Amino acid sequence: DQGLQVVQTLHGALEWTLQQTGHASLNRERFSAAIWAREAVDNCRPTLEDRSHNIELLVPENIALYGDRTTLAIALENAIAELVAHTPAQQVLTVFAGNKDDLVTIGVTSHGCTQPVVEFYFKSTDHNKLWLADELVRRNAGKVIVEPATGGGVSIIFTLPR
């Protein structure tokens, strides 16, 4: 539903604007990546169902993130929406996580994504959801990369502290 997509985008933009103007502070805490990812995916269900996409969650229960749960959820929802926008209907997207040393990697992969990686510019008006995700992840001491997925497609990956 396009109405829900607009609301999600505006919600993300509002959160970012509040942070930019100093009217909202980040509430950093340690939290379960699995629970957080499930909540973000549930928020994206209408968009996924509208395109007849399925989503696979591969986020182990023992992984914890450190950051602002709300802004990071908005970032993940925006990354999912970005891939949904460039993936033909009836595909499977995968949300995954892993950790190494003091870092956690959270990612979304679409093996059916039709847009080449080189066209995912963070500052492009065609990818405002990705730009917002990048801004929110960086405010949580993380980084976002877009890379080719193993076996084809695209992965959007966040690296964050644990």
Side-chain angles (χ1 to χ4, degrees), residues 140-152:
N140 281 279
K143 68 179 184 175
V144 176
I145 60 169
V146 179
E147 65 182 29
T150 304

Side-chain angles (χ1 to χ4, degrees), residues 4-5 9 14 26 30 33 41 48 54-55 61 66-67 75 84 88 102 108 110 113 119 125 128 132 147 154 159:
L4 184 58
Q5 288 177 341
T9 300
L14 175 62
L26 294 177
R30 192 163 316 286
V41 166
L48 293 162
N54 288 315
I55 196 145
E61 295 291 332
Y66 181 77
V84 166
D102 291 334
V108 183
S110 169
C113 183
E119 293 185 19
T125 57
N128 58 359
L132 181 60
E147 65 182 29
V154 173
T159 303

Side-chain angles (χ1 to χ4, degrees), residues 11-26 139:
H11 181 258
L14 175 62
E15 288 287 331
W16 183 79
T17 301
L18 290 173
Q19 289 173 12
Q20 287 288 15
T21 60
H23 290 93
S25 59
L26 294 177
R139 293 189 181 282

